[in-house]
Amino acid sequence: MKCKTAVLLGAILIGLWCFPGSGKQVYAEETLPGGAAGMTESNTANMFAFPAYLTIKEDTQVYAVPGAVSTALGVLHAGQPAIAVDRTENGWLYIYYIGMPAYIPESTVEGYKIPEQVPWQNMELQENMKINVLGDSFTYGDKLSDTTWAFPNVISAKCGAAVLNKYGLNGSCVAGMNPGKLLDRYPGMERDADLILVLGGTNDYGGAAREGTELGLPGDLTGGTFYGGLNLMMCGLKQMYPDKEIVFMTPTRRWGYTRKNKNGYTLGQYAEAIRERAAFWGIRVIDLYNEPGLDFAGAQAGYLVDGLHPNRTGHALLGDCVYRRLFENM
């Protein structure tokens, strides 16, 4: 059973994860069986249909192999989510845990409870705030003569943050076959951040006549599709930062955003996927795609360098907008 399960998870479930510290990349070309239809919200122990979205009902250690005498990888707290692909014969579940395979006792979980929607509440500014920003060239500040003009730096300066960790990589996608994607990189972020911001999707769209990342289906659990990458990363971030503020942002409009890529999708469909999956996982979204003041496609000369990347003025507008949505008003 262990061998069968290991093959299932390592070769199929996680798709394109990178196991932290191992340097080994595992590839898969198919998704888990069942997709969205294979999920269950059953609360009856030993009755989960796999793969299953689950909610932790009591604090539990996470282990590298089944059995409490094995290496502990961390802790999942009551209310946190998990994705399980199978169970062992002795009552352990094989799960996705912050980018790697792991085990927890089946007795510690129940069927997934979709978080209730709550009105947006502004964050309170904290002294010595630490901010992680995960993203692509926007986060890095590509095409700027000084990368400290990028929008994360604008937000950090307005917050008076003590620490800003920018995890921006030019050309980075959320998911797909691309190296350096957000799904692979998020487990390497600092764990003590107070605010975690994620901006991605524009490279998954790619642009008109470019292939881009396959959109997939909402129930996907493979890093090979955009929906699947979002599911894994959002679940992993909720595990990684149990009591911190996690905020995803949709990509901004840019030149040609209404045209379909080679896979037949527009930028708006990737933005919608972010909004949809964030609602499922109980994660806040700042919808930059529909932000009136950030429609850069309508004012390229003033805000964009090349039809895609913001100039210093564009980054200032972007940073100001995100700051306002977080700390000042809706």
Side-chain angles (χ1 to χ4, degrees):
M1 183 65 177
K2 290 182 183 178
C3 180
K4 176 183 175 182
T5 305
V7 171
L8 175 66
L9 189 68
I12 300 179
L13 167 65
I14 306 309
L16 301 168
W17 338 329
C18 178
F19 290 86
S22 70
K24 181 179 180 181
Q25 191 81 9
V26 179
Y27 294 94
E29 298 179 353
E30 58 182 311
T31 62
L32 277 165
M39 302 305 156
T40 178
E41 294 186 12
S42 167
N43 291 319
T44 306
N46 298 316
M47 292 298 291
F48 299 119
F50 293 100
Y53 295 133
L54 303 171
T55 298
I56 305 300
K57 63 182 182 181
E58 59 187 66
D59 291 0
T60 183
Q61 290 278 353
V62 180
Y63 296 97
V65 297
V69 296
S70 68
T71 301
L73 302 176
V75 177
L76 282 174
H77 299 284
Q80 285 187 280
I83 297 170
V85 289
D86 209 344
R87 70 167 57 87
T88 68
E89 295 175 350
N90 56 351
W92 289 76
L93 294 179
Y94 206 20
I95 68 165
Y96 175 86
Y97 177 67
I98 312 179
M100 57 186 166
Y103 290 88
I104 57 174
E106 186 169 1
S107 61
T108 63
V109 303
E110 59 188 353
Y112 183 68
K113 297 178 180 178
I114 299 175
E116 295 182 4
Q117 290 188 347
V118 296
W120 181 282
Q121 294 179 344
N122 296 127
M123 293 183 61
E124 292 186 7
L125 285 172
Q126 307 173 30
E127 292 186 6
N128 301 317
M129 178 179 286
K130 297 181 180 180
I131 303 174
N132 286 351
V133 187
L134 176 66
D136 48 36
S137 56
F138 278 43
T139 299
Y140 173 76
D142 192 29
K143 302 299 189 292
L144 295 173
S145 58
D146 185 343
T147 58
T148 63
W149 296 340
F151 84 91
N153 299 82
V154 174
I155 299 168
S156 177
K158 292 178 76 69
C159 291
V163 176
L164 170 65
N165 297 310
K166 292 202 311 185
Y167 301 93
L169 179 64
N170 293 347
S172 185
C173 295
V174 169
M177 299 297 292
N178 313 81
K181 55 188 172 293
L182 274 59
L183 177 60
D184 287 346
R185 294 191 288 117
Y186 85 85
M189 293 194 296
E190 292 294 327
R191 302 293 180 96
D192 62 347
D194 303 296
L195 171 62
I196 300 89
L197 300 174
V198 182
L199 175 59
T202 195
N203 291 312
D204 295 273
Y205 162 61
R210 297 188 179 183
E211 191 160 332
T213 303
E214 179 63 41
L215 193 64
L217 298 172
D220 283 353
L221 293 175
T222 168
T225 71
F226 190 67
Y227 269 114
L230 289 174
N231 279 325
L232 293 173
M233 183 165 59
M234 288 181 178
C235 179
L237 286 170
K238 294 280 283 189
Q239 295 171 339
M240 193 169 168
Y241 300 102
D243 57 354
K244 303 301 181 181
E245 191 73 32
I246 303 167
V247 180
F248 272 66
M249 296 168 282
T250 59
T252 58
R253 300 185 184 191
R254 23 73 79 93
W255 180 86
Y257 71 96
T258 60
R259 299 169 62 186
K260 294 181 178 180
N261 62 18
K262 281 189 176 180
N263 284 325
Y265 309 115
T266 64
L267 180 63
Q269 289 177 276
Y270 291 89
E272 173 58 28
I274 293 171
R275 292 190 294 269
E276 179 185 324
R277 289 294 87 194
F280 180 84
W281 291 106
I283 290 174
R284 295 197 196 195
V285 172
I286 297 177
D287 191 5
L288 302 178
Y289 182 84
N290 288 310
E291 183 68 35
L294 294 179
D295 187 359
F296 293 151
Q300 295 181 46
Y303 302 120
L304 300 180
V305 176
D306 52 5
L308 170 61
H309 297 92
N311 57 20
R312 184 176 184 178
T313 301
H315 273 282
L317 283 175
L318 179 56
D320 286 344
C321 174
V322 174
Y323 177 84
R324 289 195 311 272
R325 296 301 184 194
L326 288 171
F327 300 104
E328 291 185 351
N329 58 59
M330 279 299 294

